[in-house]
Amino acid sequence: MSASHHRWFRHLIAGAAIAASAAGAGCASQRAAQPHIPDQSVLDPATQALQKAVSVHADQFAPRIVDSARRRITVARDILFKAAESDRSLTPAEHDRIQKLVDQARLDARAALIKTQAGAVQSQIGQLQGRNDHSNGTGGSVGDSATNGGQQSALGGGALGQGGAQDNRMLGGAQ
């Protein structure tokens, strides 16, 4: 082999070594830049229920309940991502915990939705009651035990949604 071939061969080997190390570094950086994203579809029932509640402004009428639903979803998502970061499947205990959190978040979102709907009904009843009170000269209000036009107030004491079975019967058993 001539000296020029020998130099060319050394450059070829050096170039190949540099290319191999760059390719290895590139793979490592791609792995670090793109962590495994777990399947979050298990959270869908809770996130959809929460989105429905928020779409009717439940976060304004029942902020604590909405926050509770959000926290439960976040905890469940954290469990999913921690397992994914460790590159492992969920343990049965983690799976059960996530399912429980999703169920509780769904119930929270539904409660927030119902509270919001009850508030809207209460507001409408108050408006109607106010119109009736002004037209027949009485000054009663919703929840007042005063008679309105010869009839006792339909809601009795307590706010709508807190009066229990009586309020549900008044609304036709709506839940």
Side-chain angles (χ1 to χ4, degrees):
M1 226 195 253
S2 73
S4 66
H5 282 1
H6 192 60
R7 258 185 268 139
W8 178 81
F9 187 71
R10 280 193 308 208
H11 287 297
L12 181 65
I13 299 269
I18 291 171
S21 67
C27 290
S29 68
Q30 284 179 351
R31 235 178 291 150
Q34 295 180 348
H36 176 66
I37 298 175
D39 178 17
Q40 297 181 58
S41 63
V42 68
L43 305 176
D44 287 350
T47 55
Q48 289 169 359
L50 181 60
Q51 287 171 351
K52 183 177 179 181
V54 169
S55 73
V56 296
H57 308 289
D59 47 346
Q60 293 173 0
F61 294 98
R64 289 182 182 156
I65 301 172
V66 170
D67 286 345
S68 176
R70 284 186 178 128
R71 280 190 307 273
R72 293 176 200 270
I73 293 169
T74 299
V75 170
R77 185 175 288 119
D78 287 348
I79 294 169
L80 284 171
F81 274 90
K82 284 180 183 176
E85 284 175 2
S86 301
D87 199 28
R88 62 176 176 78
S89 298
L90 292 172
T91 66
E94 288 171 329
H95 186 271
D96 290 345
R97 177 76 173 130
I98 289 171
Q99 191 58 52
K100 184 176 181 180
L101 287 164
V102 166
D103 291 343
Q104 290 171 338
R106 278 183 49 229
L107 290 174
D108 284 345
R110 183 178 168 138
L113 180 64
I114 290 170
K115 188 170 183 177
T116 301
Q117 291 170 339
V121 169
Q122 182 73 30
S123 176
Q124 289 176 348
I125 289 172
Q127 289 173 359
L128 292 172
Q129 194 91 29
R131 286 186 208 147
N132 286 342
D133 290 345
H134 293 297
S135 67
N136 62 22
T138 64
S141 65
V142 173
D144 199 355
S145 62
T147 58
N148 298 321
Q151 297 178 356
Q152 192 169 10
S153 174
L155 294 178
L160 184 66
Q162 296 175 349
Q166 180 182 2
D167 291 338
N168 285 337
R169 284 194 307 272
M170 300 306 256
L171 296 173
Q175 292 187 7

